[in-house]
Amino acid sequence: WRFHDEVAEKAQDDIKSQIKSKKDKELYKEFWSKLLPIIQSKSTLFKNTKPSNKPYLGVNVGIRGISLGLHATKSKVRVNVYIDVGDKDENETIFDKLSKSREQIEKDFGGGLNWERKDEVRHCRIQFEKDGNFQDKDSWDGMINLMTNKMVKLENAFGSPIAKLKD
């Protein structure tokens, strides 16, 4: 009987998880549906982006494997440059080239960024992150304002350094 009870309990946990996951997916879709018109009024970068049911939205910046992203989770909101061209060494080379312009990038951004070379995994990222919970609808306006303003700053700060990578 004990095994039967454990299986039944696991099944209940799975159902709860799926319901929560479905609710989160619906909430993400609603969150991004509210954010997208605002970012689209400030930048053309996300003009062809549709609301997602995932915790992130990303757009390629014209170089394979380099994207700018917006993320919202239950604990953080973030905007970032994500680097993953499929090869760890190449990712690190791109990251290192960008980091040579770190001082100017952060000046243009208007503050410090987290530079994560990620030696233990393949990708690298450079990001601004702040506490926030996408499930708290009362804080959406503030989160969306912060995320969209920071994304525009990120886009502007990285425009020239990323364009130089094409040379």
Side-chain angles (χ1 to χ4, degrees), residues 118-136:
K118 298 280 199 179
D119 294 328
E120 68 282 359
V121 294
R122 188 176 73 192
H123 71 272
C124 301
R125 80 179 163 210
I126 305 155
Q127 67 183 13
F128 169 84
E129 184 177 74
K130 191 155 176 75
D131 290 343
N133 178 353
F134 90 99
Q135 292 179 322
D136 178 9

Side-chain angles (χ1 to χ4, degrees), residues 32 36-37 39-40 44-52 56-60 70:
W32 297 126
L36 277 169
I39 190 77
Q40 290 166 345
T44 59
L45 194 62
F46 286 83
K47 72 176 182 240
N48 295 320
T49 305
K50 304 281 184 257
S52 168
Y56 59 87
L57 291 177
V59 292
N60 185 283
L70 297 155

Side-chain angles (χ1 to χ4, degrees), residues 55-71:
Y56 59 87
L57 291 177
V59 292
N60 185 283
V61 294
I63 297 177
R64 179 186 62 83
I66 303 177
S67 60
L68 295 183
L70 297 155
H71 296 256

Side-chain angles (χ1 to χ4, degrees), residues 107-149:
K107 182 176 178 237
D108 294 344
F109 181 74
L113 294 163
N114 299 329
W115 294 72
E116 300 176 3
R117 196 164 186 260
K118 298 280 199 179
D119 294 328
E120 68 282 359
V121 294
R122 188 176 73 192
H123 71 272
C124 301
R125 80 179 163 210
I126 305 155
Q127 67 183 13
F128 169 84
E129 184 177 74
K130 191 155 176 75
D131 290 343
N133 178 353
F134 90 99
Q135 292 179 322
D136 178 9
K137 285 186 168 188
D138 291 338
S139 66
W140 279 13
D141 289 341
M143 287 169 52
I144 288 170
N145 187 47
L146 175 78
M147 293 172 76
T148 57
N149 288 337

Side-chain angles (χ1 to χ4, degrees), residues 53-115:
N53 62 2
K54 294 184 169 61
Y56 59 87
L57 291 177
V59 292
N60 185 283
V61 294
I63 297 177
R64 179 186 62 83
I66 303 177
S67 60
L68 295 183
L70 297 155
H71 296 256
T73 68
K74 294 171 190 163
S75 61
K76 303 280 183 200
V77 293
R78 121 181 18 113
V79 297
N80 69 11
V81 176
Y82 186 84
I83 305 164
D84 188 0
V85 298
D87 178 80
K88 184 171 177 37
D89 292 335
E90 199 175 335
N91 292 340
E92 290 174 353
T93 298
I94 292 167
F95 180 90
D96 293 343
K97 285 180 181 176
L98 291 172
S99 68
K100 289 177 182 171
S101 303
R102 180 176 182 162
E103 192 175 318
Q104 186 61 49
I105 288 169
E106 290 184 341
K107 182 176 178 237
D108 294 344
F109 181 74
L113 294 163
N114 299 329
W115 294 72

